[in-house]
Each structure stands twice: as C-alpha cells, then as structure tokens.
Amino acid sequence: MQAPLSLEIVPVTAFGQNCSILWNPATLHAVVVDPGGDVPRIMAFIAAKDLVVDSIWLTHGHLDHAGGADALRRELTARQGKAVPMIGPDRADEPLLSAIPQQAALFGVTGLESVQPDRFVSHGETLEALGHSFEVRHVPGHTPGHVIFYDPASRFAFVGDTLFRSGVGRTDFPYGDHDQLIAAIRDQLLPLGDDVTILPGHGPATTIGAERAGNPFLT
C-alpha cells in the first residue's frame, strides 16, 4: 500500500496560478509543481512544515508557471545544502522557458526569470517520487511541450493549463492549437477515468467525470 500524500495549493502572482506543494507526511519529503513566482510565500510554507523538497516539476513553459522556478531552486539548494533538480516539461517548450522575461514584459510583470531544467521529460515515462509513481503524458495545444503528471494510485493529476472546470487552456498564441489541445485532452485525460481528480493551473479542482459531462468544450 502506498503512503498517503498531503497537498497544499499556493496561489502565486497576479495570474492566480496554482503552485502545488505535494508531500509525504510520514517522511516530510516533497515536490513542488509549477512555482510561477512569489517564492518567499512558497518558501514560508515549506519552512513552516519543515519539508525537504526533492524536486521541482514544470508542466509547461509559461511565465506564470515557471517564472519563479529558478529562484526557488536557488533558495532550496541553499536551505537544504544540495542541488534540487528541476524536471520537465517536454523539450518542445524550451524556447518559452528561455524567454520568460520577454513573456513577462508583455504583461508588465517584472522579477521573473528564464529557467533551464535539469532535464526534460517525454511522454510515457514515469517519475518516482514520495513513494509514488507518476505518469508523464504529453498534452500539447496550449503550449507545444505541455505535460501532465498523473498518479494512478491516488487517482489525481496535475494538469497545468490543459483542462479546467468548465474550460480548457488558451490557444490564442502563435504556437497554440485548439484542435490539437482538444484531441490531446480526449486521448490523454478523459481515458484516465471519471473518478480522477484534476488539479489545474488556475481555479478549483474538478474531476474527469464532471468535465466529460459538463465541459462545453468537450461536448
């Protein structure tokens, strides 16, 4: 039987992005998903719980999901005394990750940094963390290299900006593709099962079943 996990959602930046801190309460080891900014707020929670962060995961390369990642990596490395690896997304998002200040300038946002992950991920691989196995699935359309992280044992997934409660990710970017996104949601998310909880990058959690039944973009 796999250990139960605890989760804290820390909304960050003016975009209200859901930075997720997932940890094993028995060991206090953790992962942080999509630290888009407001690193002092993220670090304050980590310190209050006395967590040891094993890795940082990125679903995609947009500023509000990755703009604080490099600063968080530095803070955690200093606190914990060893390098904290940054993992993901798919390599197709490398151009976005390397241009975060330029993305931020378009929105009048400062203080966010470009980032180079320690390694990119590929569709079909598995990340072992916190005593659980997380499937990596490529769900492009919002960005070319967008991935999700799915835990079959606990029946939940970090889905970034692919699927929301009653919505889907924006595709009005030069590299966006609405048809590709909808097809990827149908191929990679809906088959997970109606009971699976999805944790999106913005807004409240929902389930695959609720979105299959009521999301206007999927009907």
Side-chain angles (χ1 to χ4, degrees), residues 32-53:
V32 178
V33 182
D34 285 355
D38 293 332
V39 170
R41 186 184 306 169
I42 299 170
M43 286 297 300
F45 182 86
I46 291 168
K49 292 289 186 181
D50 200 25
L51 301 177
V52 176
V53 176

Side-chain angles (χ1 to χ4, degrees), residues 69-157:
D70 207 46
L72 181 64
R73 176 167 55 182
R74 291 195 302 271
E75 292 280 347
L76 289 171
T77 297
R79 180 176 188 266
Q80 297 176 188
K82 64 177 182 178
V84 175
M86 192 176 313
I87 299 171
D90 182 276
R91 186 177 293 275
D93 268 14
E94 187 170 18
L96 292 172
L97 291 169
S98 65
I100 287 177
Q102 292 92 322
Q103 293 181 46
L106 296 175
F107 295 95
V109 177
T110 59
L112 302 182
E113 302 175 53
S114 294
V115 61
Q116 179 64 43
D118 292 283
R119 75 175 185 87
F120 293 98
V121 294
S122 299
H123 177 81
E125 73 173 275
T126 299
L127 300 180
E128 301 293 339
L130 313 179
H132 287 240
S133 298
F134 293 81
E135 296 178 7
V136 176
R137 296 190 174 212
H138 185 211
V139 186
H142 178 66
T143 68
H146 199 303
V147 298
I148 70 152
F149 304 106
Y150 167 53
D151 179 355
S154 298
R155 309 297 290 161
F156 76 92

Side-chain angles (χ1 to χ4, degrees), residues 149-170:
F149 304 106
Y150 167 53
D151 179 355
S154 298
R155 309 297 290 161
F156 76 92
F158 296 109
V159 301
D161 287 357
T162 58
L163 183 62
F164 303 106
R165 181 181 293 183
S166 299
V168 298
R170 289 178 56 179

